[in-house]
Amino acid sequence: MSVPTIKHFFAAFALLSTLLARPVIAQTWTSCNPLNTTDCPTNPALSTNHTWDFTSSSADTTWNITAGEIKYSKISGAHFTIARRGDAPTIKSDFYIFGGELEVWMAAATGTGVVSSIVLQSEDLDEVDWEILGGNATHVQSNYFGKGNTTSYDRAIWHPSSFSPQDDFHNYTTCWTKDEIEWYIDGASVRLLKFAEANGGKNFPQTPMNVRLGVWAGGDEDNPKDTVDWAGGETDYGDGPFTMRIKSVRVKDYSEGKEYVYGDMTGSWESIEIVPGNSTALNILNAPPPLTPSQRWNKLSPNAKIGVGSAAGVTSVALIALAAFYCVRQRKAGRRERAIADLAWESESKELSAYQMQMAKGGFAVSSRPF
């Protein structure tokens, strides 16, 4: 694996500039396109089937936050929020799948021009999408791209929904093989794309893809007019914040191996090489959870437990001795204070007796002078 050069940087920058007019630019990009060079990094495989429950834990080290901040709720999972202009919180998987399934339980964000996106994307810009507009409560959109081909935008299909996608959670699933792609909403198939239907296969997504989830403002005033119109109009950030919520994500990789390698620059599925071995993601996901205190105690040897017990005993004795010393010192201080108080009381009593005797003898005359 070679280190990206300055040539790669300018290539990526030029590609990004050409993609600015695309509806899902906030989630789609590539840092090294295998169609242009053989020096791109390999794609780490998922090589398993796994569900991430965002109501019980945050995204683990198999995911990367590429923009913004993600917050988590035990009730509604991961929150992707646009609170101000420029926000576009997004996470991207560090793993790739080569054929597989993506299932997301999502409640889309509200807001005119706000786009909630579920994206599968490869480094050579093959792409499979769900896109839900915050101002559209009656339809959701499926879409796909092959090799970043944006010569036309006639591949998107708007699917009518019997629910408001922003009000509650719904299941959006994509099943992808080398022969076809199928989109499902709440378990019901809404679209099937055959290989040959995508420009004879030339625009059919067929290279290893990672997962990208995020929300962005397609209606931002700086976006091209076509993008703003597609997104439903200009976004008024004063109406926000706008939050996309995701409860869980399930990803299944139909291939098994350590990583995926582009064998040439054709971008065809036949050119992809599967490197055998355990993937990094699989090792992370199969790692045992951290031990509880009781489990750590049970794993200690008898001698170690005796050592821990002895240390605890010594510590307890020291604490008891310290407490006893403190109590004794306080008692001594109390006795001294009591003795001083007794002496003061005795002195005051004698003075009071003397005063009373003097008054009885008439030793004190009352003055006739005014103050």
Side-chain angles (χ1 to χ4, degrees), residues 109-318:
T110 58
T112 299
V114 175
V115 186
S116 299
S117 297
I118 301 170
V119 179
L120 281 168
Q121 193 217 295
S122 68
E123 296 303 329
D124 66 358
L125 299 178
D126 283 346
E127 185 180 322
V128 183
D129 304 327
W130 287 102
E131 293 161 322
I132 303 175
L133 306 183
N136 191 332
T138 60
H139 291 74
V140 300
Q141 178 184 278
S142 66
N143 204 353
Y144 73 94
F145 292 88
K147 307 296 180 283
N149 183 354
T150 59
T151 55
S152 67
Y153 289 95
D154 57 358
R155 292 173 288 271
I157 293 181
W158 292 97
H159 307 283
S161 60
S162 59
F163 55 83
S164 172
Q166 299 82 14
D167 290 345
D168 203 356
F169 290 89
H170 293 275
N171 185 305
Y172 302 92
T173 298
T174 307
C175 294
W176 164 51
T177 71
K178 64 182 180 62
D179 300 314
E180 62 185 30
I181 301 172
E182 194 161 11
W183 289 259
Y184 296 81
I185 299 176
D186 291 334
S189 176
V190 296
R191 183 179 185 180
L192 178 65
L193 175 72
K194 296 289 188 178
F195 182 89
E197 295 171 345
N199 192 22
K202 294 179 181 179
N203 285 341
F204 188 85
Q206 56 194 283
T207 50
M209 295 194 278
N210 57 30
V211 181
R212 307 179 186 208
L213 309 170
V215 63
W216 61 288
D220 188 89
E221 61 183 17
D222 282 349
N223 284 338
K225 183 179 183 303
D226 288 346
T227 299
V228 174
D229 291 343
W230 166 83
E234 284 197 12
T235 301
D236 184 350
Y237 296 96
D239 292 338
F242 312 110
T243 299
M244 177 185 80
R245 296 162 291 159
I246 293 180
K247 275 189 175 181
S248 66
V249 178
R250 182 182 68 85
V251 186
K252 183 176 182 178
D253 191 352
Y254 284 166
S255 303
E256 294 183 358
K258 180 180 179 181
E259 56 194 15
Y260 305 120
V261 180
Y262 286 77
D264 55 36
M265 294 190 292
T266 64
S268 68
W269 67 267
E270 296 97 335
S271 70
I272 303 301
E273 301 172 5
I274 302 176
V275 179
N278 290 334
S279 71
T280 299
L282 185 61
N283 291 335
I284 291 173
L285 297 173
N286 287 341
L291 296 177
T292 65
S294 62
Q295 289 172 329
R296 289 198 297 269
W297 172 258
N298 291 334
K299 288 180 68 71
L300 292 175
S301 66
N303 289 338
K305 289 180 180 179
I306 292 173
V308 172
S310 299
V314 169
T315 302
S316 298
V317 170

Side-chain angles (χ1 to χ4, degrees), residues 59 63-72 80 89-92 94:
W63 295 85
N64 179 35
I65 298 176
T66 59
E69 178 184 10
I70 315 299
K71 296 184 178 180
Y72 295 89
F80 301 69
T90 304
I91 60 173
K92 177 177 74 70
D94 288 335

